[in-house]
Amino acid sequence: MPVQLTIFGVDPEPEVVFNVYHDESGTYTGRSGERWLLHGVLLVPALKQEEVFMLLQQARQETGYWEEIHYVKLRGSVYGPKASCSRKWLHLYGTYLSGFCYYRCLAIDTWSPAFEHNRFSAPQYAYNRFARMVVEGAIAWSLKKYKRVALKFYSDNKFRVEGDNFADYLPREVVASLTKKRQKKPSAYPAVRLLHPTVIGVESNPKKVEPELLQESELIQLVDLLTSNIAQALTGRSSQKAKIALAEMVAKWIDDVKKPPWLQTRELHRRFSVSCFPDSRGRFYDPVLSMANKGQKSFFD
């Protein structure tokens, strides 16, 4: 077992604990299903989670909205309580939380000619594989500066078909894959270990969740909000004004991080990222947004 050196009793490379929050937008059912399947992951330092939670609660207090922030159910006025709280959460993430809570999204184009449907004998295997890809990508992209990290996984507590091994597969395979990659290129990946062997399912409705998991419930909702707004910016499929207005905010972030780092203005480099997969040659590529009002005056300008 390797010996960890210390200086005057202080570990010069302390292990940092991150809580990994995962959610998705879209459903993969095979060749005839929806085109886009998005997986989003938010990496939250455990020591900062209480602060994040309190700031999200403050936004709820300011808007008077205490129900579940579920993007699918977002309707009505652009300035209604739910839309206002959602906007405050997004603004909070883009201007402050992104400084230490790192988000990555992988948008999978299941209609791409390079998408290999035959690789997956059941839809859940595709779902699990792409969830793994986005978590690995997030750690490699945003946690490269850390030498050692410990991980605890959370995801929305939803129904899964019998035999779906998502809860065991995701943590186990992420750690195994990153450990193998680190052996080949130690400078590109942190050393990783698990604090809990399985994904912890969390009720996303704050009115129904167990009190001890309220913080985790709020962060699952934040991941849903980020990921679903990226889906809207990418597809432009909803005509709801509230959804369009919120997706405009996220679209600006996406456009900014597509630029070379020295031309970016929102300080989101390696903090917020979105990739699409696969292109016609089976590669990753930058998203092409389909916002109907892209380039026009924003609802919130």
Side-chain angles (χ1 to χ4, degrees):
M1 183 175 181
V3 177
Q4 182 65 37
L5 299 177
T6 62
I7 300 175
F8 304 113
V10 178
D11 188 347
E13 296 177 353
E15 181 181 69
V16 181
V17 178
F18 280 89
N19 292 327
V20 181
Y21 291 95
H22 163 269
D23 200 16
E24 87 291 331
S25 176
T27 303
Y28 176 66
T29 56
R31 295 178 185 275
S32 60
E34 295 180 48
R35 176 175 181 177
W36 291 100
L37 173 63
L38 284 78
H39 284 274
V41 63
L42 184 68
L43 307 176
V44 180
L47 290 177
K48 301 283 282 184
Q49 181 162 298
E50 178 73 22
E51 178 188 355
V52 175
F53 172 70
M54 295 306 296
L55 289 170
L56 295 176
Q57 292 289 285
Q58 181 179 328
R60 285 191 179 278
Q61 183 71 44
E62 292 171 353
T63 57
Y65 188 78
W66 298 97
E67 303 295 327
E68 181 179 9
I69 296 180
H70 197 308
Y71 188 82
V72 171
K73 299 178 182 178
L74 183 61
R75 298 179 178 86
S77 170
V78 172
Y79 300 101
K82 185 170 186 175
S84 295
C85 188
S86 299
R87 181 169 71 253
K88 280 184 175 290
W89 275 25
L90 288 179
H91 179 74
L92 180 62
Y93 179 77
T95 59
Y96 179 63
L97 298 181
S98 56
F100 52 88
C101 296
Y102 311 121
Y103 175 86
R104 183 169 180 81
C105 180
L106 178 63
I108 302 98
D109 183 359
T110 67
W111 292 5
S112 167
F115 186 92
E116 299 176 343
H117 292 274
N118 293 335
R119 288 189 61 183
F120 308 106
S121 58
Q124 64 264 29
Y125 299 135
Y127 179 103
N128 297 351
R129 180 65 180 89
F130 293 120
R132 171 187 158 190
M133 285 175 63
V134 73
V135 175
E136 288 184 22
I139 293 171
W141 185 240
S142 296
L143 302 188
K144 181 181 179 180
K145 63 182 178 181
Y146 299 94
K147 295 297 183 181
R148 297 184 295 132
V149 298
L151 307 173
K152 197 170 186 178
F153 286 72
Y154 298 90
S155 191
D156 193 3
N157 187 17
K158 60 189 66 178
F159 171 80
R160 298 189 184 277
V161 299
E162 184 177 354
D164 186 348
N165 65 343
F166 171 80
D168 299 302
Y169 169 90
L170 185 60
R172 181 188 69 237
E173 293 302 320
V174 164
V175 170
S177 177
L178 289 177
T179 299
K180 186 176 181 180
K181 291 177 179 178
R182 189 172 187 273
Q183 291 172 348
K184 295 181 179 179
K185 193 174 182 181
S187 62
Y189 305 92
V192 294
R193 73 178 182 95
L194 292 177
L195 288 181
H196 193 275
T198 64
V199 178
I200 298 170
V202 180
E203 169 60 58
S204 60
N205 188 334
K207 298 291 187 180
K208 298 179 181 179
V209 71
E210 304 94 322
E212 63 271 19
L213 287 175
L214 180 58
Q215 291 187 12
E216 289 78 7
S217 177
E218 294 288 77
L219 285 158
I220 287 291
Q221 292 169 76
L222 179 58
V223 179
D224 172 77
L225 186 64
L226 289 164
T227 307
S228 297
N229 272 294
I230 292 169
Q232 171 64 19
L234 184 66
T235 66
R237 61 190 175 194
S238 177
S239 60
Q240 292 283 339
K241 289 184 178 180
K243 291 183 177 180
I244 294 172
L246 292 171
E248 282 183 334
M249 298 175 65
V250 175
K252 291 176 181 178
W253 304 348
I254 296 172
D255 280 337
D256 195 60
V257 296
K258 287 164 62 175
K259 301 173 185 176
W262 56 90
L263 295 179
Q264 295 179 24
T265 61
R266 297 179 180 268
E267 299 184 357
L268 292 171
H269 181 57
R270 291 192 182 272
R271 300 175 176 181
F272 171 89
S273 60
V274 182
S275 296
C276 295
F277 175 85
D279 65 9
S280 60
R281 294 180 292 178
R283 299 177 180 178
F284 294 90
Y285 62 100
D286 287 334
V288 178
L289 304 184
S290 300
M291 292 289 295
N293 57 340
K294 187 168 178 275
Q296 298 180 13
K297 181 177 175 61
S298 169
F299 283 95
F300 303 129
D301 286 342

